[in-house]
Amino acid sequence: MTSLPIAMQEYHTQLKKGLIQQAYKGLMDYMLELRTHFKNKYADNFVSGTLYFGYMDMTYFAFIPDSLKERGLKAAVVFLHEAFRFEVWLSGYNKQVQQKYWQFFKEQNWQKYTLLPSLEGEDAILTHVLAEEPDFSDLPALTNRIERGTVDFAAEVEKYLSGHAF
C-alpha cells in the first residue's frame, strides 16, 4: 500500500490536470438528475431525498417500492467508482432484516441475482449489474437502461418474495 504522502502527491498532480474535478462533478450531477428522474416518475414509491456521495468508492440513492418497504427492504441505485459500473442492490433497513433475507435467499438458492457470499462488512443482500462501463455520451439511453433494470429488479424480488411465506 502506498504511503499517504505519496498518495497525496499523486492526488495533487491529478487534480492540477482538472479532469478529475470535471468528471466527478459531471457524475454527481448525473446521479442527482437520475435520482430526480426516479422521484418524479415513481412518485408513489419512496426515493431518498439525498444522494450519498461517498468517498469516491460508491455513490447511491435509495428506491423503495411499498412492497419492499413493508418487508423492511430497499433497493439502491449504486455507482461503483473503481469498478466503473452501475448496480442495483437489495438491502435491509437494518442488520437484522438484512440477515433474515440474506439467509432466506441463501437457503432458497435463488440464482436470478447475485447473492453476496457473506454480509460481513457489506450493505447489500443481492446485487445486479445495470451498466458495465456505462456510456456517458448518451445520458437518456443510460437513464433508461438504469431505470428499466432497477424497476425490473424490484419487481422480480417482490414477485419472488410474495410466493414465499415468512
Side-chain angles (χ1 to χ4, degrees):
M1 184 169 182
T2 306
S3 70
L4 180 59
I6 291 171
M8 290 307 294
Q9 185 177 17
E10 179 62 22
Y11 182 62
H12 188 218
T13 299
Q14 293 301 319
L15 287 173
K16 281 195 236 178
K17 293 179 181 179
L19 290 177
I20 292 207
Q21 298 94 313
Q22 182 181 348
Y24 187 78
K25 182 182 181 323
L27 176 61
M28 294 306 106
D29 288 347
Y30 175 69
M31 289 295 294
L32 287 166
E33 289 172 16
L34 185 61
R35 184 192 61 78
T36 300
H37 173 81
F38 272 79
K39 195 172 186 94
N40 292 339
K41 189 163 182 183
Y42 300 97
D44 291 344
N45 298 296
F46 178 80
V47 176
S48 60
T50 59
L51 180 70
Y52 174 79
F53 291 92
Y55 297 103
M56 293 183 80
D57 59 343
M58 72 174 111
T59 302
Y60 69 89
F61 63 90
F63 172 69
I64 312 169
D66 286 340
S67 58
L68 291 181
K69 184 178 182 179
E70 292 166 2
R71 298 175 184 276
L73 296 168
K74 58 186 172 181
V77 177
V78 183
F79 180 77
L80 296 170
H81 293 249
E82 189 174 336
F84 208 74
R85 68 177 177 237
F86 284 93
E87 295 185 356
V88 60
W89 293 359
L90 179 69
S91 299
Y93 274 95
N94 59 46
K95 293 295 181 190
Q96 293 79 18
V97 171
Q98 192 138 317
Q99 179 65 41
K100 171 185 169 183
Y101 283 97
W102 179 84
Q103 191 65 43
F104 167 78
F105 284 113
K106 183 178 178 185
E107 289 170 3
Q108 294 295 314
N109 197 28
W110 190 44
Q111 301 200 4
K112 175 87 178 176
Y113 299 108
T114 304
L115 176 70
L116 273 67
S118 164
L119 290 180
E120 189 68 34
E122 299 292 347
D123 295 321
I125 300 165
L126 299 172
T127 65
H128 177 62
V129 175
L130 298 170
E132 190 87 43
E133 295 291 327
D135 179 3
F136 288 95
S137 68
D138 187 352
L139 295 181
L142 180 58
T143 297
N144 287 339
R145 183 174 179 184
I146 292 167
E147 175 187 358
R148 185 80 267 133
T150 301
V151 170
D152 289 350
F153 175 85
E156 286 287 333
V157 169
E158 292 168 16
K159 181 180 173 185
Y160 189 76
L161 290 174
S162 69
H164 296 82
F166 280 89

